[in-house]
Each structure stands twice: as structure tokens, then as C-alpha cells.
Amino acid sequence: PDLINEALWCIDFHKRMQKEDGGVPSGIESSEHPRQGEASWDESLDIMAFSPSASMSYRYAGVAACAAWVLKSLHKTEKAKEYKQSALRALKWAEKNEARFQKKRGGNRFRNDKALAYLELGQRDKAARIFKALESTGREILGGGGGVDFFAKFGVRRSESQRMAEAHYLLGLGLLGQGNQGAAKAEFGKALELNINHLGAADKLSH
């Protein structure tokens, strides 16, 4: 169906960029602004790919696994196997390399990508533990704990409202992953009330 083909177009873009060891880059970028009159298929500039990241590889693993399930339901067995194997390779790479990315970017939203990948690949117990941990982290911050603000390490200390918005967002992610959609939606709403620019919460409420 056309709808499936449209979805696979973007997924296949990342699949074709997947490295031999399983890592998945987040995208590509031209060396400068596109030249006037050039379309994507005849661009003369150098095109560069981002390095693979654990977060993107987890995200891809979940989406590719979902694509495999859809393809299998359409009796496209070989194509489904291809996507499933690609998803497992991405998951394995992310698990092996995640430590160095967590140090750079913090671990909370990162954990949500990981949990969703586990969920789509049928590893429900692992996913459940992560979603529960996200819920606990959110509640801890809202209760006055949560430790030092991650961004403070870079000299950018967030306001208390921004910090609380992130806590509500993390709590919402944890609740959503555990199937509590109503409570999760309420937490995402609270996050936006505290920080209207919270893109993650806005995205979740748009679905």
C-alpha cells in the first residue's frame, strides 16, 4: 500500500546508512547551503553523514522492528526478516556503545528510546524496568530530589520551572510506557504549562 511505502521510504534511508557493525547515523548534511536551482537528486555539493549514535540506533531499532511486524502481516516475509535483522544489529551496537553517549547527553530521554526498542523487539521485561525507572526519576525530581541539573555542568543552569517541566515529562514517558495513557497525557500537559517550549511534551500531546 502507498501508506506503507511512504513510511518505509524514511526508514529505508537509515537502513541504507547502517554501518557494518550495526550503528545507525542520524542523517546527512550538505557541506553548505544548497546551490540555487539544484534538486536533491542532482546536488553537486559534498554530502556528509553524521556518525552513528546510540540514541539514533535505539530509535531506529524500534522503528525497524515495527516495520518488520507490519511487513510480516502483509505476507512480505523476506522483507520482514531483513528489517528484523537490521533492528537487532542496531540494538546490539547501541547496547555496546551507549556508555560514552550517556556521558555526553545525559541518560533520561535516551532511556526512553532504549525502552521502546526493547518493547518493539519483544523484550518486554527489559522495557518495563526502564519505564518504571523513568517514572521513579520524574517523581524523585518533583519530590525535591534528582541531584544536580545535568545542564549545569556546561554552565547553563535551567530555571526551576524548566527543571520541573522535564520531571513531569520523564514521569509522563514512564507512565506512557506502562500503558497509563491518561495519566501520561496529564503529565505532558503540566510540562507544557511550566515550559511552553518543551518540544518533547508538545510532540507527545500531538499524537
Side-chain angles (χ1 to χ4, degrees), residues 1-206:
D2 289 343
L3 183 61
I4 302 300
N5 289 333
E6 287 289 336
L8 289 177
W9 187 91
C10 187
I11 302 170
D12 191 60
F13 167 74
H14 290 286
K15 181 172 173 290
R16 286 183 283 118
M17 293 180 65
Q18 187 174 27
K19 304 297 184 181
E20 289 185 8
D21 60 3
V24 181
S26 58
I28 60 175
E29 185 61 77
S30 302
S31 57
E32 57 183 275
H33 290 297
R35 291 175 176 143
Q36 187 172 0
E38 290 189 352
S40 60
W41 55 86
D42 64 0
E43 187 169 349
S44 60
L45 295 169
D46 290 331
I47 306 295
M48 297 164 285
F50 293 103
S51 297
S53 71
S55 182
M56 185 64 220
S57 297
Y58 277 131
R59 199 173 306 149
Y60 169 81
V63 174
C66 184
W69 181 87
V70 172
L71 288 165
K72 185 177 180 179
S73 71
L74 295 172
H75 308 292
K76 297 182 181 293
T77 308
E78 291 305 314
K79 197 71 173 176
K81 287 181 180 179
E82 185 181 315
Y83 273 90
K84 180 70 174 292
Q85 289 303 313
S86 177
L88 289 170
R89 288 173 54 224
L91 178 70
K92 185 177 181 180
W93 186 91
E95 288 175 326
K96 182 179 179 181
N97 292 276
E98 69 172 49
R100 59 193 176 96
F101 291 98
Q102 283 181 316
K103 291 176 182 178
K104 292 179 180 179
R105 300 183 182 278
N108 290 320
R109 299 194 195 188
F110 179 97
R111 285 190 291 170
N112 188 59
D113 293 329
K114 183 177 181 178
L116 291 173
Y118 282 141
L119 194 62
E120 293 293 347
L121 285 164
Q123 301 181 32
R124 296 183 178 277
D125 289 343
K126 290 182 179 180
R129 287 195 291 270
I130 296 173
F131 287 131
K132 188 64 180 177
L134 284 169
E135 178 189 355
S136 297
T137 299
R139 293 192 188 282
E140 181 182 358
I141 297 172
L142 291 170
V148 178
D149 184 357
F150 171 76
F151 292 95
K153 292 187 292 185
F154 304 100
V156 182
R157 186 174 296 278
R158 294 181 296 182
S159 68
E160 186 64 12
S161 62
Q162 289 175 316
R163 187 167 178 267
M164 291 299 103
E166 184 69 5
H168 283 293
Y169 177 64
L170 295 177
L171 176 54
L173 290 177
L175 292 170
L176 184 62
Q178 296 174 82
N180 197 339
Q181 296 183 0
K185 185 176 180 180
E187 294 302 326
F188 296 140
K190 292 175 183 177
L192 275 182
E193 288 177 7
L194 290 164
N195 179 8
I196 192 64
N197 295 315
H198 199 296
L199 298 180
D203 177 64
K204 293 298 182 183
L205 288 174
S206 68

